[in-house]
Amino acid sequence: METYREAILERILPRVMKPSRYLLEWNAIRKDPSRVRLKVALAFPDTYEIGMSHIGLKLLHQILSRKEEILVERAFAPWEDFRGLTLQEGIPLSSHESGIPLKAFDIVGFTLQYELSYTTILDMLDLAGIPLKGEDRAEMDPLVIAGGPCAFNPEPLVGFIDLFVIGDAEEAIQEIAETVMAWKEASGKRHQLLEALAKIEGCYVPAVWDGKTTIKKRTAMNWADVDYAAFPMPYMEIIHDRPSIEVMRGCLRSCRFCQAGYIYRPLRERSAEEIFRTALDAVRKTGYEELSLSSLSISDLSCLSDLLPPLAAELQREKASLSLPSMRVEGVTEGFVQEVGKTRKGGGLTIAPEAGSKRLRDVINKGWITDEQIFNAVKVASRGGWDSVKMYFMIGQPTEAFADLDALVELSAEALRIGRREGPRNFSVTASASCFVPKPHTPFQWVGQDPLDLLKEKQRYLKRKLRQVGVEFKWHQAESSFLEAVFSRGDRKLGRVLFKAHTLGCRFDGWTERLNFELWLRAFKEEGIDPGDYATRFFPLEEEPLPWEHIWVVDKKFLLRECRRALLAALTHECQTGPCRACGQVCLPSWREWAEKTGAFGQGFAVGCQMSGAGQEDREVQASTINPSPSAIR
């Protein structure tokens, strides 16, 4: 009988554009399916090169693979050519390693990284022959689970996903696996399994949820046990084609638009010794010529000044370069440029002012970034031999006016002048502008997005103005951001729209060339739902429960206070530099001290709550009756 791999190699791969997407890599792990107790498929709802750039997928794969009784394999969304050929051949969507049909796994787990991947999830279930709706699944159908940042508002997907992991999955996924194995051995009913899974901390099981229980996010304290050199080695170039070492989880900042800054609290770090050893091991065993240290704000890594000199020196000997994304502008010093320069020549600096004016940076709580710091970073980088700067901005933020866009243009133009004066004559500046998307569990979750026409008008305005000053402009498709906002703030009714869009042929919506916005508008119209009610509407601050309110991340009163402070352009100090703002997560005096005192290492979740009274400034803001409305914002 012909195997899946034989069918692919002989008849399908010669006919697709990128056959290396479907080849089994060096370092890939395969087990005998007949000798395991549980089969888990980790599915990424995008192409191979994007999925293999995701640290979380590799991390969970490694954690489960260490257990002899568990077979864990990967699955990716097939591109159109491969998809069409497998449909013609009658081959269901199968795992990457062994070609086992996804329908034959006990668990199929999806990564929810981006709202525009939701229809691709439905397409993958359809290709696998797994019933799309949870209520239609039989006793022996796979348990369909999902986790990731988008799981913090699971409601648009509740009809299709059996279980959501809210928060860090390192320990929760192991508890889920143990529960499913015990259920299989007891020959239990499916509803019994769902009831047992709902008792695991951080697990939201919509089918058995009582409508009132709060689901607290899972926080892993012991999350760093990863061998980055043991990941499968792709035969093709992937999006992040280098070892990316996660050195810190969480962030000290409280940027009001940034969901990651809230859902990944509290701050957790790896030690300099761990990072140094792990980084060099990854470079030496994989042969990569570039290494990245990954975090939300690498400059906040407390051991960076101790780590950087010896790591840069060793990488120089290995003829490998070091990449440090997410740099704060004040962290770009001559010493930093000198150390990183040991491993690389030229290249570009990336910084994220997010807004052009100081006033708007105060609104979003990035007011600690000054124009002078930005210009100094450009000067230091250009003098150090770097030939470009990329600056990330966000348009459509609350209270933004066209004067703020003019400030963005002036800031970019001055950065270009400084770079060319201090560095190479061909020094370039790129201004990259995404569209603001209000995210759950942030202070801006109540604030509506700019209407689509206004976002496009702002993009045209910046394109014209920046071209006049010689700055390259890159922007994000406004229609994509609109849909992202819809599903970011959505409720269960949007499940009907997702199903309709899937039947109309929507998939790979995160790809600019694949997004068919007209089909999406048709899906909304046929289901009688106005997408603007989700994307652009201003939710009343305290009168209306939010669709994701049963998911607990930080205290709602804290977010309300921060929203009001934003509308007053009032700054909030960063965590660990002042009195606690009482968000509900354990951050002060430090996560290490708290974990050592409570013995929380390895328990997997933060069980404490360090509260303190709000300061006088907060009490004044709390007393304010400001509500976000179009007149207040603009």
Side-chain angles (χ1 to χ4, degrees), residues 32 103 268 278 335 373 380 389 431 468:
D32 183 350
K103 189 177 176 65
R268 289 149 286 167
T278 302
Q373 288 175 325
V380 168
V389 165
Q468 292 171 358

Side-chain angles (χ1 to χ4, degrees), residues 45 110-125 149-157 160 164 439 483-484 486-488 494 498 502 506-510 520:
F110 285 96
T111 300
L112 301 182
Q113 192 66 23
Y114 185 31
E115 289 84 354
L116 268 65
S117 71
Y118 290 175
T119 52
T120 306
I121 292 174
L122 300 192
D123 188 58
M124 292 177 73
L125 290 172
C150 293
F152 284 88
N153 178 18
E155 293 307 295
L157 282 172
F160 313 106
F164 294 88
K439 291 288 186 176
L483 289 175
E484 184 181 348
V486 170
F487 288 99
S488 174
L494 290 183
L498 282 173
H502 163 68
C506 293
R507 55 182 175 270
F508 287 115
D509 299 297
W520 274 102

Side-chain angles (χ1 to χ4, degrees), residues 494-558:
L494 290 183
R496 305 202 314 265
V497 178
L498 282 173
F499 187 80
K500 175 63 69 172
H502 163 68
T503 62
L504 293 174
C506 293
R507 55 182 175 270
F508 287 115
D509 299 297
W511 293 67
T512 301
E513 67 271 26
R514 287 286 309 166
L515 176 65
N516 190 326
F517 192 60
E518 294 304 315
L519 279 185
W520 274 102
L521 293 181
R522 177 181 163 187
F524 281 110
K525 184 176 181 180
E526 291 187 7
E527 292 300 326
I529 292 176
D530 180 1
D533 285 345
Y534 298 96
T536 60
R537 186 167 67 91
F538 292 77
F539 295 164
L541 280 187
E542 298 188 66
E543 301 168 13
E544 180 179 323
L546 300 170
W548 52 89
E549 202 151 300
H550 53 298
I551 307 297
W552 189 90
V553 174
V554 293
D555 189 73
K556 184 179 178 180
K557 292 181 180 179
F558 166 77

Side-chain angles (χ1 to χ4, degrees), residues 163 193-201 203-205 208-209 215:
L163 178 151
L193 173 62
L194 296 178
E195 289 172 354
L197 292 168
K199 297 175 182 178
I200 298 174
E201 185 81 19
C203 288
Y204 171 46
V205 183
V208 299
W209 182 57
I215 312 298

